[in-house]
Amino acid sequence: MERKWWTLVAVCIATFMLLLDVTIVNVALPDIERSLGSSFADLQWVVDAYALTLAALLLTGGSLADLFGRRLLFVIGLAIFTAASLACGLSGSPTALNLARAAQGIGAAFMFATALALLAANFFGADRGTAFGIWGAVTGASVAVGPLAGGVLTQSLGWESIFFVNVPIGIGAIALAYAKVDESRAPRSGPARPRVDWAGLILFSAALFLLIFALIRGNTEGWGSTLIVALLAGAVLLLAAFVVAERRTAAPMLDLSLFRKPAFVGASVAAFVLSASMFSMFLYLTLYVQNVLGYSALESGLRFLPVTVLSFLVAPAAGKLAEKLGIRYFLSGGLALVGLGLLLMSGLDPGDDWTALLAGFMVAGAGIGLVNPPLATAAIGVVEPYRAGMASGINSTFRQVGIATGIAGLGAVFQHLVDSRAGEFARAVKAAGGTIPRNTEGAFSDFISFGVYRRIAEQTGGGVERAGRDAFLHGLNHILVYAAILAFVGAILSLLLVRPSDFVSHQQAP
């Protein structure tokens, strides 16, 4: 097999691992809580620590890869991720686990930021569409299959296994990268950056850290609280300072002129919208299937397979056809299908089972498959090869910021709507002769989302069960519609912004 195809294998393995770890922990959180004695805040950080460092360092990873070598930084990221996975599995306290998860995010950022750049340096012409199609299928499937993989491993081997499984795979990927992947970097002369843009690196990472931290903690602390306002204000000030610094330096890590190309803006919007609309909804859909409908970790994971299967089936064809038929039509059409799928999932009733989601799962899965491959092409197709790492890092950053923003924004709406049904639920419990535990006061949405209300229903009857489901679905149905609207807006913007004239020719090796 040619070396370039080995490069694709290595990149797909790394991408699958790092994106799988975004969602695989969700079904394992109850076991982690019981094993380590974690609080609810500790459990939040199991997910958030990883997402935070991953988002904050993506652009930095792409910039450093262009300067020092994409394979080198890819291997360093694999090593950090593998070692941190081992530390996660060996953790004996919530703090140790969350610190290890943050380290995982650092390694994942370096891996993800270099993925597209490595493919761009090795594939040209028709093979590039095939490679991006396969990579896009892996990207979509890794997020969707997380609950299934987490369920299988947690139920059979324990929660530690979801981290330990990365260790042998990571070691194998490192060996494969050294043996079969060629090094590539930006040229040392001409328009290339001769040194690290430390000011840009620090300002951007710090600004994004404050922004993501504020979004993560906004629901808990209150959006008008002093802490959240200060964090958001600090993020704005640091971003402004970053823009000033990038305009003044002769070798910026982020070339702001890229955003003068509508196609690059359109690709960034598409990346953000896909994550903020569909991928962020996996959290709430998993809570519904597992905690509200009562399916086990493995059973709930199996029910997400339609999304995975459709994404796998559609993505390879989309990768091959997008450049021939028009990238913007695939981006726009795929996001429109995602929006339609989300609408089909909405309108759930307390008496519905998971099959009410099936049509939406299939349509949205096809939409994901249509978007991911052409999105990869658009992300680096509008820049010269020597800036592929930067472009890849920017696009991946928009993906991760989209997930964090979507979870935070939709979560704020969800919590408000679920909490608004607290009175109705209390009346249902009183009518059934039951009582609500005192420790749920002020956290009704958590009480409902984690299925604790079902313990009361087991003692009091179906009226309480229906009231609990109704409270959860009141929030879920609304945010499904809001996510769909966001996807439709992204479809329109992608169609208008992604212009063929903005693309740079990559038909032959530079």
Side-chain angles (χ1 to χ4, degrees):
M1 188 164 64
E2 294 182 61
R3 290 176 68 87
K4 64 182 179 181
W5 297 110
W6 284 115
T7 300
L8 176 62
V9 171
V11 166
C12 286
I13 290 173
T15 300
F16 187 83
M17 282 198 307
L18 72 92
L19 289 180
L20 190 69
D21 270 49
V22 175
T23 57
I24 194 173
V25 300
N26 288 332
V27 297
L29 289 177
D31 289 76
I32 293 174
E33 183 274 326
R34 289 189 291 270
S35 176
L36 301 182
S38 306
S39 66
F40 180 72
D42 292 330
L43 295 183
Q44 283 183 305
W45 277 111
V46 173
V47 178
D48 295 343
Y50 182 81
L52 182 61
T53 52
L54 175 55
L57 292 175
L58 271 170
L59 183 55
T60 298
S63 179
L64 293 176
D66 279 348
L67 184 60
F68 295 112
R70 290 149 191 166
R71 187 188 70 168
L72 174 63
L73 205 72
F74 179 74
V75 170
I76 290 174
L78 274 170
I80 294 174
F81 185 87
T82 302
S85 296
L86 178 62
C88 286
L90 295 175
S91 297
S93 69
T95 300
L97 175 59
N98 293 331
L99 288 175
R101 284 285 285 171
Q104 262 193 321
I106 296 173
F110 291 165
M111 292 153 58
F112 204 11
T114 54
L116 288 181
L118 283 171
L119 295 183
N122 286 273
F123 289 92
F124 306 92
D127 285 346
R128 170 172 290 192
T130 301
F132 283 168
I134 296 172
W135 182 84
V138 171
T139 299
S142 59
V143 177
V145 81
L148 173 60
V152 171
L153 292 171
T154 300
Q155 287 189 195
S156 59
L157 300 173
W159 68 266
E160 296 91 344
S161 63
I162 67 175
F163 301 114
F164 285 147
V165 72
N166 291 328
V167 177
I169 298 174
I171 293 173
I174 291 172
L176 177 61
Y178 266 121
K180 298 294 185 179
V181 177
D182 294 325
E183 183 61 282
S184 65
R185 59 170 59 86
R188 294 292 183 176
S189 59
R193 187 172 56 259
R195 57 182 175 80
V196 177
D197 177 17
W198 291 110
L201 187 157
I202 294 171
L203 288 171
F204 182 84
S205 297
L208 196 56
F209 181 92
L210 293 183
L211 174 62
I212 301 302
F213 189 84
L215 293 174
I216 287 172
R217 299 298 301 170
N219 291 327
T220 302
E221 302 292 339
W223 293 99
S225 66
T226 301
L227 173 62
I228 300 303
V229 171
L231 287 171
L232 291 174
V236 171
L237 290 175
L238 286 172
L239 282 174
F242 171 73
V243 171
V244 172
E246 296 304 276
R247 286 183 173 179
R248 290 185 176 183
T249 182
M253 61 180 268
L254 171 58
D255 187 351
L256 298 175
S257 66
L258 290 175
F259 291 95
R260 296 174 186 170
K261 289 188 175 184
F264 189 81
V265 177
S268 300
V269 168
F272 177 89
V273 167
L274 179 62
S275 293
S277 60
M278 187 62 217
F279 289 161
S280 65
M281 282 303 307
F282 279 122
L283 170 62
Y284 302 101
L285 292 170
T286 300
L287 290 176
Y288 172 61
V289 174
Q290 187 171 349
N291 292 340
V292 176
L293 296 183
Y295 288 100
S296 69
L298 176 57
E299 290 170 340
S300 62
L302 285 170
R303 279 149 182 81
F304 284 94
L305 279 179
V307 181
T308 306
V309 172
L310 265 296
S311 176
F312 261 119
L313 292 176
V314 172
K320 287 187 176 182
L321 296 175
E323 292 192 63
K324 295 179 180 179
L325 302 179
I327 289 175
R328 62 176 171 175
Y329 300 120
F330 280 76
L331 291 178
S332 179
L335 287 174
L337 284 180
V338 167
L340 177 59
L342 290 166
L343 284 181
L344 290 173
M345 295 178 213
S346 64
L348 296 167
D349 293 321
D352 286 337
D353 200 357
W354 79 275
T355 51
L357 298 169
L358 185 57
F361 277 0
M362 296 178 70
V363 173
I368 293 171
L370 282 180
V371 172
N372 271 323
L375 181 57
T377 301
I380 61 176
V382 297
V383 302
E384 297 79 4
Y386 72 86
R387 294 195 292 182
M390 180 191 297
S392 174
I394 293 171
N395 191 262
S396 298
T397 297
F398 272 94
R399 285 177 182 266
Q400 298 306 314
V401 173
I403 291 177
T405 304
I407 288 176
L410 294 175
V413 176
F414 175 80
Q415 285 185 314
H416 172 73
L417 292 170
V418 173
D419 287 340
S420 71
R421 295 298 176 96
E424 295 180 21
F425 181 79
R427 287 190 290 272
V429 172
K430 184 177 180 180
T435 57
I436 300 176
R438 292 183 180 180
N439 60 2
T440 63
E441 186 175 337
F444 179 71
S445 58
D446 298 333
F447 173 75
I448 295 296
S449 298
F450 288 102
V452 182
Y453 72 92
R454 296 173 63 227
R455 301 175 189 172
I456 302 176
E458 290 174 358
Q459 301 174 353
T460 56
V464 172
E465 173 80 15
R466 185 176 181 86
R469 287 195 180 191
D470 181 71
F472 184 92
L473 292 176
H474 182 59
L476 181 63
N477 284 327
H478 277 82
I479 63 175
L480 280 167
V481 173
Y482 297 150
I485 293 172
L486 179 61
F488 287 134
V489 171
I492 295 171
L493 291 176
S494 297
L495 184 63
L496 295 176
L497 292 172
V498 179
R499 309 179 306 184
S501 59
D502 288 335
F503 284 78
V504 177
S505 176
H506 293 272
Q507 297 303 311
Q508 59 187 6

